[in-house]
Amino acid sequence: MNKFYVTTPIYYVNDVPHIGHAYTTIIADALANYAKLQGKEAFFLTGTDEHGQKIEEAAKKRDKSPAEYADEISSKFKELWDEFEIGYDKFIRTTEEDHKHGVQLAFKKMYEKGDIYKGEYEGHYCVSCETFFTESQLVDKEFCPECGKPTNLLKEESYFFRLSKYEKPLLEWIENNPKAILPKSRRNEVVKFIEQGLEDLSITRTSFSWGVKTPKEINDSKHVVYVWLDALMNYVTALGYGKDNKNISFWPANYHIIGKDILRFHAIFWPAFLMSLELPMPLCIAAHGWWTRDGEKMSKSKGNVVKPKEVADAYGLENFRYFLLREVPFGQDGDFAQKALIGRINNDLGNDLGNLLNRIIGMSHKYFDGNIESSLVKTYFQNELTQIKSIINGLDDYMSEVQINKYLEDVWKIISIGNKIIETTQPWTKMKNNEEDAVKALLGLVANLLAKVALLVYPIMPKTAEKIASTLSFEINAQNFSKYIKNDEMLSGFVIEKTPPLFPKIEEPLLASEPVLEPKIVVKPEKKEEENLNVITIDQFFQTQIKIGKIVDAQEVKDSKKLLLLQIDIAEEKTRQVVAGIKEYYSPSDLIGTQICLVANLKPAKLMGLTSEGMVLAAKDENGLTLIRPQREVKVGTKVS
Ligand code: ME8
């Protein structure tokens, strides 16, 4: 069976998980899900990076031992991924004995090969980034060029790795493997960096002890292994390197998913270590961009860090996953703003996907007792089938280049084919004209289209995909992926299940958008009792003129998903033109001839360039929207009181 291996960075235990960690982990999860759907045997690794000076110092500040502190934070990451149902196969901790043995074995091999030598390191070190810098790299001769914090001047005995020796082989590897580092702009950045010349890398420290000891064969126990050599080795020790090699057949990794901040470690140091160890190179190192909040860098001191659990609890985990993967082109920075998240949920998920499913559930039950069949689809809709097929053909390339946003964009093109074809076919008119076969074919087309969409969105929104699949009477698995996506087969006939809407509309932000730094005390003026109850007088009520009207014409408003243009007779000389946001719930042909209640003395307003001269009354609950109508036919123009 085809093997597939994907990893996240292992996260430092000096901080609790935030949106950036969730983003990386969800990308990796989606890739692993996709690989499984392709019938591959997937191994998905994540975990925590627990050694080094930064963790030792963070623990000390809290009066804890590094081990105690690491246990505490590591479990927070694990708990979050479990709550998020991240399908990792191993959660590695660098404090595990097996991992430490693997690191020591690698050190010994490199040493025996002559790639490690003893010397003295003199230079600057940023504890926060766990990175060495030369003076020329510093900002104002003191500050870290990556995080801006002050650096320490170090002068200590150290072992060095001969990174300079691997300059040429690294450039050759990148040259021969155009997709080894993604996106391309990052690849160019790495090439430029190597071309400027690589210095040998200090790979041990003596001024603290929280780390993997150098192997006993070196006989120099005051040295602990540099935290980045220790951490990077996790990608193979998790597979049993240095112990039983149990899962080593998964190596090389198909993807190391990382943030752009740690590209150099992954695209230069790690491949050089692997070359020294004579292990194969990873197939792809994919670096994503940075998340900000409402346009600002997140930081604990500003109190604006996006906590993934809070977002998922408020908006739904799968909605959040969709947002993260759809919102930002891979490699670019992204901004978290609730308005954007709500837009994605209400528009892409609710209006486009959820509504399409609702539409065929409603129509098939209204016209055919819920029966859906595929037999007539090819006769009526060959064009649409061809368009869908050609979109699907491009999707695998997007996924393999981790361009999940483009992948999703194209899946949504399939959804919009479904929504459009309903509008152009006008099944309600066809039913009136006794063209049942055309409507059966239409419902069959949309059901098949949605089945494909469910299989395709599964990697990103597994639960949602399963709900759609169960409504359509099939299961999400590799066999069906191959059947309906690769071989383009059609669903057999079934009765569609009635299901509640998948994506209830979100009306307003659900999280406090600004962090509350100091509680503000607002003294409210006392209100009169009437104001408190929001009561109005009868005269105030009669200021609103509500009249019974009859819809004599209804049309769709071009380019609007929500609006219908109604002509309403209220026994005046001219009919009233009203633009109503009811398109998601009524088709024009359902409305003509219906009586409704109209607010007749509303100031005219313009909507999408059309004048609206009143408002039809409706009520909306979780089951949708319904117009308020008189129980029996009433003379048009009658006042409602
Ligand atoms: O670097 N936006 O761990 P780390 C997007 N232990 N992604 C972000 C982010 C943000 N604002 N902040 C963090 C380490 N990330 C090392 C890795 S691997 C052998 C060792 C993500 O806890 C991003 O993936 O600082 C980044 O690479 C990772 O978190 C760094 O996590």
Side-chain angles (χ1 to χ4, degrees):
M1 199 193 252
N2 232 334
K3 301 228 172 196
F4 178 89
Y5 182 29
V6 60
T7 68
T8 73
I10 44 171
Y11 304 112
Y12 282 131
V13 289
N14 69 321
D15 198 2
V16 291
H18 61 67
I19 187 174
H21 303 122
Y23 181 54
T24 321
T25 307
I26 290 168
I27 294 175
D29 192 49
L31 291 176
N33 287 342
Y34 185 74
K36 284 179 202 155
L37 271 187
Q38 305 268 329
K40 294 181 185 163
E41 190 189 351
F43 194 93
F44 169 14
L45 174 71
T46 189
T48 42
D49 186 356
E50 305 186 7
H51 289 132
Q53 194 172 354
K54 172 154 81 171
I55 308 302
E56 192 178 82
E57 287 179 6
K60 210 177 198 173
K61 262 194 212 159
R62 290 160 181 85
D63 262 343
K64 289 189 173 150
S65 72
E68 242 182 314
Y69 180 58
D71 281 350
E72 183 186 314
I73 308 285
S74 176
S75 65
K76 291 214 160 87
F77 276 95
K78 193 159 185 288
E79 275 161 26
L80 181 70
W81 303 150
D82 289 340
E83 256 181 72
F84 273 26
E85 298 187 40
I86 298 293
Y88 60 82
D89 295 284
K90 183 167 171 70
F91 184 100
I92 191 169
R93 300 185 55 186
T94 52
T95 43
E96 286 165 19
E97 286 308 314
D98 290 350
H99 168 76
K100 292 197 257 178
H101 283 146
V103 174
Q104 287 172 331
L105 175 71
F107 196 103
K108 189 171 143 244
K109 281 197 171 174
M110 292 173 180
Y111 185 77
E112 282 167 358
K113 192 172 179 173
D115 278 352
I116 289 178
Y117 62 92
K118 196 169 177 174
E120 185 171 75
Y121 179 79
E122 189 172 357
H124 301 264
Y125 192 75
C126 173
V127 177
S128 183
C129 298
E130 296 281 17
T131 309
F132 300 97
F133 293 104
T134 58
E135 192 166 320
S136 64
Q137 291 174 310
L138 299 181
V139 175
D140 292 341
K141 296 194 173 167
E142 185 188 351
F143 300 102
C144 170
E146 302 287 339
C147 71
K149 292 186 183 150
T151 54
N152 301 335
L153 188 61
L154 291 185
K155 190 173 176 185
E156 59 186 42
E157 187 184 280
S158 178
Y159 286 85
F160 285 83
F161 173 75
R162 289 187 200 281
L163 188 61
S164 52
K165 170 179 160 187
Y166 291 97
E167 227 172 81
K168 247 190 156 174
L170 282 170
L171 287 172
E172 273 168 21
W173 163 64
I174 298 173
E175 173 75 28
N176 296 333
N177 296 278
K179 302 225 163 132
I181 301 166
L182 292 177
K184 210 171 158 202
S185 55
R186 297 283 167 216
R187 175 177 184 264
N188 298 342
E189 198 182 294
V190 171
V191 170
K192 247 192 223 149
F193 190 86
I194 302 174
E195 281 172 349
Q196 281 167 8
L198 296 177
E199 285 179 17
D200 290 347
L201 180 69
S202 163
I203 50 158
T204 63
R205 302 285 313 275
T206 54
S207 50
F208 67 94
S209 58
W210 181 238
V212 179
K213 298 258 171 301
T214 44
K216 57 180 185 314
E217 290 83 352
I218 309 284
N219 206 8
D220 212 347
S221 62
K222 65 179 181 295
H223 287 262
V224 294
V225 177
Y226 172 43
V227 65
W228 269 101
L229 170 56
D230 167 359
L232 287 161
M233 283 302 298
N234 95 91
Y235 298 133
V236 289
T237 59
L239 302 177
Y241 177 88
K243 200 184 171 230
D244 54 11
N245 281 331
K246 190 168 157 233
N247 284 312
I248 206 75
S249 57
F250 281 97
W251 188 257
N254 295 69
Y255 295 96
H256 289 313
I257 304 296
I258 58 165
K260 64 180 182 181
D261 54 323
I262 52 176
L263 179 64
R264 221 171 276 169
F265 302 96
H266 282 80
I268 300 176
F269 298 175
W270 178 227
F273 295 153
L274 287 167
M275 284 175 187
S276 175
L277 294 170
E278 293 165 28
L279 286 170
M281 293 293 104
L283 301 177
C284 178
I285 297 157
H288 63 69
W290 214 236
W291 281 89
T292 51
R293 179 178 198 167
D294 298 318
E296 283 193 51
K297 200 171 170 206
M298 289 180 289
S299 80
K300 274 193 235 164
S301 55
K302 277 195 220 153
N304 67 345
V305 175
V306 181
K307 296 184 182 129
K309 185 165 156 40
E310 277 179 16
V311 182
D313 285 349
Y315 288 96
L317 173 60
E318 300 222 335
N319 296 346
F320 182 40
R321 282 175 69 111
Y322 174 78
F323 170 79
L324 288 174
L325 301 194
R326 171 74 192 259
E327 189 70 3
V328 189
F330 186 78
Q332 291 183 23
D333 291 343
D335 186 48
F336 176 86
Q338 292 190 75
K339 210 170 146 208
L341 171 59
I342 294 171
R344 290 280 176 208
I345 297 173
N346 289 346
N347 300 327
D348 303 7
L349 298 177
N351 286 352
D352 298 343
L353 174 57
N355 197 32
L356 184 58
L357 183 65
N358 287 347
R359 286 173 105 177
I360 62 158
I361 293 175
M363 283 191 274
S364 54
H365 278 277
K366 188 165 168 191
Y367 304 138
F368 307 115
D369 294 328
N371 282 294
I372 292 198
E373 54 180 272
S374 305
S375 56
L376 294 163
V377 179
K378 283 193 181 134
T379 320
Y380 283 84
F381 295 110
Q382 190 52 53
N383 258 348
E384 284 68 21
L385 290 174
T386 314
Q387 280 175 40
I388 294 168
K389 178 116 195 56
S390 106
I391 295 172
I392 288 178
N393 287 344
L395 291 176
D396 193 55
D397 280 352
Y398 284 142
M399 196 54 110
S400 65
E401 291 186 8
V402 203
Q403 299 197 49
I404 307 181
N405 68 308
K406 288 216 169 128
Y407 172 94
L408 285 170
E409 248 170 53
D410 271 22
V411 173
W412 254 251
K413 284 185 190 157
I414 302 177
I415 297 172
S416 94
I417 291 177
N419 277 313
K420 233 191 226 143
I421 196 71
I422 296 182
E423 269 142 50
T424 50
T425 309
Q426 299 234 334
W428 42 91
T429 318
K430 290 243 172 338
M431 285 308 285
K432 277 190 190 142
N433 300 338
N434 292 325
E435 293 177 67
E436 279 200 3
D437 276 0
V439 179
K440 271 189 194 150
L442 174 77
L443 295 176
L445 170 75
V446 177
N448 276 283
L449 170 163
L450 279 170
K452 293 183 199 299
V453 167
L455 286 156
L456 293 166
V457 299
Y458 174 83
I460 296 99
M461 308 178 78
K463 288 260 155 65
T464 306
E466 274 163 1
K467 274 191 212 157
I468 299 175
S470 117
T471 308
L472 301 175
S473 270
F474 79 102
E475 274 179 26
I476 306 267
N477 54 37
Q479 269 162 325
N480 281 337
F481 191 85
S482 158
K483 200 166 156 190
Y484 299 121
I485 301 292
K486 293 188 182 156
N487 301 333
D488 206 18
E489 288 180 34
M490 294 271 195
L491 295 171
S492 13
F494 66 99
V495 174
I496 195 166
E497 247 180 58
K498 286 189 180 171
T499 37
L502 291 178
F503 308 101
K505 195 166 175 150
I506 295 172
E507 304 283 353
E508 55 188 29
L510 301 171
L511 294 172
S513 56
E514 289 299 324
V516 183
L517 298 175
E518 279 174 43
K520 281 188 192 143
I521 299 167
V522 182
V523 182
K524 285 191 188 159
E526 266 189 37
K527 283 185 180 173
K528 285 192 217 135
E529 198 180 349
E530 288 156 39
E531 274 178 62
N532 276 343
L533 292 170
N534 218 2
V535 289
I536 57 169
T537 63
I538 189 85
D539 293 340
Q540 282 173 314
F541 173 73
F542 279 122
Q543 282 172 14
T544 311
Q545 278 180 26
I546 304 173
K547 289 186 176 176
I548 298 296
K550 186 181 230 169
I551 301 177
V552 290
D553 190 35
Q555 308 265 345
E556 288 177 356
V557 173
K558 201 171 160 263
D559 297 329
S560 168
K561 287 181 182 166
K562 295 191 173 167
L563 300 178
L564 288 181
L565 183 66
L566 310 175
Q567 301 298 333
I568 301 177
D569 177 10
I570 53 166
E572 288 177 346
E573 206 172 303
K574 265 181 67 203
T575 55
R576 289 285 185 104
Q577 170 166 293
V578 172
V579 183
I582 56 174
K583 186 173 168 188
E584 289 157 85
Y585 309 95
Y586 291 94
S587 58
S589 60
D590 293 339
L591 293 172
I592 297 173
T594 313
Q595 289 203 325
I596 45 80
C597 296
L598 180 83
V599 179
N601 63 336
L602 203 63
K603 193 171 164 199
K606 278 219 160 165
L607 286 160
M608 293 198 76
L610 298 163
T611 306
S612 184
E613 304 163 314
M615 182 174 82
V616 287
L617 294 184
K620 192 172 167 195
D621 64 7
E622 65 276 10
N623 296 319
L625 174 144
T626 177
L627 288 169
I628 309 294
R629 314 185 212 212
Q631 276 197 330
R632 61 166 173 81
E633 187 100 349
V634 184
K635 234 193 198 168
V636 291
T638 305
K639 266 192 173 178
V640 176
S641 55

